[in-house]
Amino acid sequence: MAGIVGAGPDRTFLGTLDRDEDVVAAAALAHACGWFRHDDEDEDYLAGAVNCFGCRYRRWTSGGFVCLRAALPARLPPLP
Amino acid sequence: MDVLISVDDTDDVDSRGTGEVADLLADGLVAAGLAAGRGGVTRHQLLIHPDIAYTSHNSAMCFPATIDDDGLEAVVAWCGRTLAAESEPAADPGLCVAAPSRIADPAVLVGFGRAAKERVCRKDEAFAVAGRLGVHLSEHGGTGLGVIGALAGAGLRLSGSDGRFRGKTAIVADGGVLPVGALKAYGADGVRAYVDGVPVRTALDDDELVAVGDAQAKLVLLDGQAVLLVSPSQGGPAPWELVRHTALRAF
């Protein structure tokens, strides 16, 4: 089952772009997240969709990605 | 003389990406009169591993340029200055400038690129390979660890079969279907069919039809060519359809 595990700077998503259910789960997370920002076109695999897999704050890992936003400096807007 | 210019680790998580910096270098070289022409920027995926200090993707960017035979030194100097100025303060940028015609054993450079996709490579290893081949490799800030990806990017571009081209173009098609010949007008040298990452046709004929829907053309580098990928249609209006964007991650 895909989804976020961990908290704060260790928000990790275990899942893959190859599984539709993981993509759906990441889309739900992104739509509920005030931090989402599209990554560069080079890194977009979902045709501009709002999805954590396409967010500039995700850092790829071997099993999914880590959400970096919580660890970023305070110059960015806080989570609503 | 043709050279490959490759950069890595120029960005921060909240900054413009390395691809944009590579494009800036490519355009700037031409504008400065240091290059007679430039090719497209390709993105090369390297190993994702906890021991590698990548920003978020661990990918390198590379482009070819045509320069004067005696212009290598000036190109290296200009790229180094510009890369240092345009990279983020927290970045660890690296620059590689390789002239394939002057490399005695290109397979070594290609081999380093492939190794960086499969294992953790070290900075001293990258400098040793570059020194052995006579390839320029330099650090431009931070830890300079971007030299590993920069050298790997040049090797993978030289391989002719790795990565995808930066940028994509919206395809205009009445009825959402185009023949292969028309698709090539979007910058593709060829159109190939893949299923689950495996090639099933290496060259489609110009009159074969492809369902494009509202997709955008994204080219990959295969056998030295800019290639558009299609797969067998799943009940669409044509025998072929553009591959899903998610499948491009494998390139």
Side-chain angles (χ1 to χ4, degrees), chain A residues 17-18 20 37 39-47 56-62 68 72 75-76, chain B residues 12-15 17 19 43 48 52 54-57 59 61 164 166-168 218 244-246 249:
Chain A
L17 270 171
D18 299 328
D20 288 345
R37 252 177 93 190
D39 202 351
D40 295 340
E41 172 275 329
D42 309 304
E43 309 298 337
D44 175 27
Y45 304 99
L46 295 167
R56 72 179 311 149
Y57 298 130
R58 59 95 179 80
R59 182 179 194 264
W60 292 108
T61 64
S62 56
L68 296 177
L72 287 176
R75 68 177 185 266
L76 297 173
Chain B
D12 193 359
V13 69
D14 197 36
S15 72
R43 174 201 185 277
I48 297 290
I52 297 175
Y54 57 94
T55 305
S56 57
H57 319 110
S59 57
M61 298 282 177
R164 50 184 191 264
R166 176 171 153 74
K168 54 190 173 188
K218 186 73 176 172
R244 292 172 61 177
H245 282 219
T246 51
R249 190 162 181 240

Side-chain angles (χ1 to χ4, degrees), chain B residues 103-115 128-130 132-133 151 155 158:
Chain B
I103 298 175
D105 192 355
V108 174
L109 184 56
V110 172
F112 184 84
R114 288 179 176 150
V129 170
R132 176 179 160 195
L133 298 176
L151 186 68
L158 184 61

Side-chain angles (χ1 to χ4, degrees), chain B residues 20-247:
Chain B
E20 196 172 333
V21 173
D23 252 335
L24 186 152
L25 286 177
D27 287 342
L29 278 172
V30 175
L34 292 168
R38 56 156 291 189
V41 173
T42 44
R43 174 201 185 277
H44 302 276
Q45 181 65 55
L46 308 175
L47 180 68
I48 297 290
H49 189 281
D51 291 343
I52 297 175
Y54 57 94
T55 305
S56 57
H57 319 110
N58 201 25
S59 57
M61 298 282 177
C62 185
F63 64 92
T66 304
I67 67 172
D68 288 341
D69 285 349
D70 59 357
L72 189 58
E73 193 175 333
V75 166
V76 165
W78 186 90
C79 285
R81 282 196 309 272
T82 307
L83 187 62
E86 299 294 340
S87 295
E88 293 299 308
D92 307 307
L95 168 69
C96 176
V97 183
S101 62
R102 295 183 179 179
I103 298 175
D105 192 355
V108 174
L109 184 56
V110 172
F112 184 84
R114 288 179 176 150
K117 296 174 78 75
E118 295 170 357
R119 65 174 175 82
V120 179
C121 296
R122 300 184 319 275
K123 193 163 79 169
D124 62 340
E125 190 181 350
F127 277 118
V129 170
R132 176 179 160 195
L133 298 176
V135 166
H136 171 83
L137 189 64
S138 53
E139 308 176 21
H140 296 277
T143 65
L145 280 169
V147 294
I148 301 169
L151 186 68
L156 292 166
R157 179 73 185 240
L158 184 61
S159 79
S161 290
D162 188 272
R164 50 184 191 264
F165 285 84
R166 176 171 153 74
K168 54 190 173 188
T169 308
I171 297 174
V172 180
D174 285 340
V177 174
L178 278 182
V180 164
L183 276 175
K184 289 180 180 175
Y186 289 91
D189 298 316
V191 178
R192 298 188 185 190
Y194 271 66
V195 175
D196 296 331
V198 178
V200 293
R201 288 273 302 280
T202 53
L204 268 64
D205 298 329
D206 281 356
D207 60 353
E208 293 189 73
L209 296 178
V210 178
V212 296
D214 58 357
Q216 295 182 307
K218 186 73 176 172
L219 302 168
V220 301
L221 179 64
L222 289 170
D223 295 328
Q225 293 191 317
V227 174
L228 194 60
L229 300 181
V230 301
S231 57
S233 176
Q234 306 296 317
W240 303 101
E241 62 187 18
L242 293 179
V243 298
R244 292 172 61 177
H245 282 219
T246 51

